[in-house]
Amino acid sequence: MPATTSTDLAVQEPPKVHPDAAEIIRQIEFYLSDDNLPGDAHLLARTGPTGDGWVSINELFGFKKMRNYKPRTLAKQALLMSDKLIVNGKFIRRKDPLTVPLHVTPAINDDRVKSKLVIDKPWLTKGMLKPTGFEEGATEGPLKPEEYAAQRKLFDPEMDFTIRIEYAVTKYLSKRKMHQKTANIFIKFLLFGGFDGGQNMFTGGLDEKAMEEYDKDEIMQMKVCW
């Protein structure tokens, strides 16, 4: 009979289970249960009115009753044994929608809407959720008289058309925020239209010191022309 090695013994060891696994499962199931969730405005903002949306496991373990369960890794692994919950990486949800009506209105605000979007679409970052200028209904405010005068000067028909169109594109970009993929497509579109491209497109090679005495519209014009 071959000798038993330390490697064999390690393989035969049962997986570690948190000593308080049953309590951990019971508490998290309660948070997301029909008994608690319909009256929890905070959690409803995460799960949505049906109650079966994804919630951050880290957020749940930040609740007062969950903070003492250590080590955290084993505590989270315990949730995999629940027959009422579904775990997906860093997030968890109940298997079925709520079966009772809500008692409160979900406490939804802009930050929670963004957090929920990040949970539902994990490829997004919070930075990508900042206003971009492309939102439905997004508009620029009316021009002040001095701004109108500056615009008239910058778009003077006597000025070369190339300068005017490049300034228009520069101004358009200054009012909007593009994600990297969108920006790459936009730059390719400009190149296709005949713009000179490159990493420094529309930067003009200007340094901060050179721009101190000019206003933003003059700076944009110089970035086009220089």
Side-chain angles (χ1 to χ4, degrees), residues 33-41 44 49 98 100-106:
S33 69
D34 284 0
D35 293 327
N36 179 73
L37 189 55
D40 192 322
L44 283 172
L98 286 168
V100 295
L102 303 185
H103 308 321
V104 296
T105 301

Side-chain angles (χ1 to χ4, degrees), residues 132-140 176:
T132 63
F134 293 104
E135 292 79 17
E136 184 177 355
T139 58
E140 296 182 26
R176 288 161 180 82

Side-chain angles (χ1 to χ4, degrees), residues 165-173 178 182-198 201-202:
I165 193 65
E166 288 185 348
Y167 170 74
V169 172
T170 304
K171 187 169 182 63
Y172 176 85
L173 290 173
M178 295 187 188
T182 306
N184 289 339
I185 293 172
F186 186 75
I187 294 299
K188 289 179 180 178
F189 176 77
L190 293 179
L191 293 174
F192 181 76
F195 281 80
D196 289 331
M201 182 183 285
F202 303 122

Side-chain angles (χ1 to χ4, degrees), residues 46-81:
R46 302 290 194 246
T47 66
T50 59
D52 57 350
W54 294 102
V55 182
S56 167
I57 296 176
N58 283 335
E59 181 173 353
L60 293 175
F61 273 89
F63 292 177
K64 186 175 181 179
K65 290 185 178 181
M66 302 301 299
R67 292 173 189 166
N68 293 329
Y69 291 116
K70 303 291 175 62
R72 185 65 61 84
T73 301
L74 279 183
K76 292 178 180 179
Q77 287 178 355
L79 298 174
L80 294 169
M81 296 186 288

